[in-house]
Amino acid sequence: MLLETLRLLECSLHSDRRCDREWLEGLLHPEFREITRSGLIVDRSETIACLLSEKTASPILSSDFRIIEMGRGCVILQYRTFYAEGRCPSLRSSYWVCSEEGQWTLIFHQGTPAADGS
């Protein structure tokens, strides 16, 4: 159940919800940081601004989800992504934390090009 919950939250970032400022501000932890696929380190406000400025985003497909529970309310989600046309395969890791109210927020994300190109 936890894996499915986090998979749905993560995949919602690959949908048109990524253009909804209020939703992004609720999903991304105030201390959110990301190491992008190209190696840049960005913070929450930079990430939100970038997502909101996207004109059209290629559909992102995801697979091979697994979680590593780090402790109570702290989980790493690992998975693979690629664009619908098959380009840019990536390995992804997201660190999710759960508030006392049961709200999951994303505090860290990293995307790395897949070494084997698949």
Side-chain angles (χ1 to χ4, degrees):
M1 171 146 172
L2 178 57
L3 176 61
E4 183 62 11
T5 297
L6 295 176
R7 186 190 70 75
L8 290 171
L9 287 172
E10 191 76 40
C11 288
S12 68
L13 284 164
H14 306 158
S15 72
D16 51 350
R17 301 242 24 214
R18 65 197 285 138
C19 299
D20 180 339
R21 176 182 293 278
E22 185 176 330
W23 179 80
L24 288 170
E25 289 174 349
L27 189 66
L28 300 180
H29 190 278
E31 297 299 319
F32 175 81
R33 296 288 183 274
E34 177 177 5
I35 301 174
T36 67
R37 188 178 187 282
S38 57
L40 299 173
I41 298 174
V42 294
D43 65 18
R44 182 177 184 257
S45 63
E46 292 169 311
T47 298
I48 291 172
C50 181
L51 292 174
L52 294 176
S53 71
E54 284 183 346
K55 300 296 182 216
T56 57
S58 296
I60 299 172
L61 303 176
S62 307
S63 65
D64 302 332
F65 287 88
R66 63 174 271 219
I67 58 172
I68 302 167
E69 294 192 46
M70 302 302 293
R72 186 173 180 196
C74 300
V75 173
I76 295 175
L77 181 67
Q78 295 177 323
Y79 62 104
R80 295 176 152 287
T81 62
F82 56 92
Y83 289 110
E85 58 276 0
R87 62 186 178 86
C88 297
S90 299
L91 304 175
R92 304 214 177 238
S93 295
S94 295
Y95 192 162
W96 291 85
V97 294
C98 189
S99 70
E100 291 181 15
E101 296 79 28
Q103 168 92 24
W104 285 97
T105 56
L106 181 57
I107 195 166
F108 178 79
H109 180 80
Q110 181 168 355
T112 304
D116 62 2
S118 62

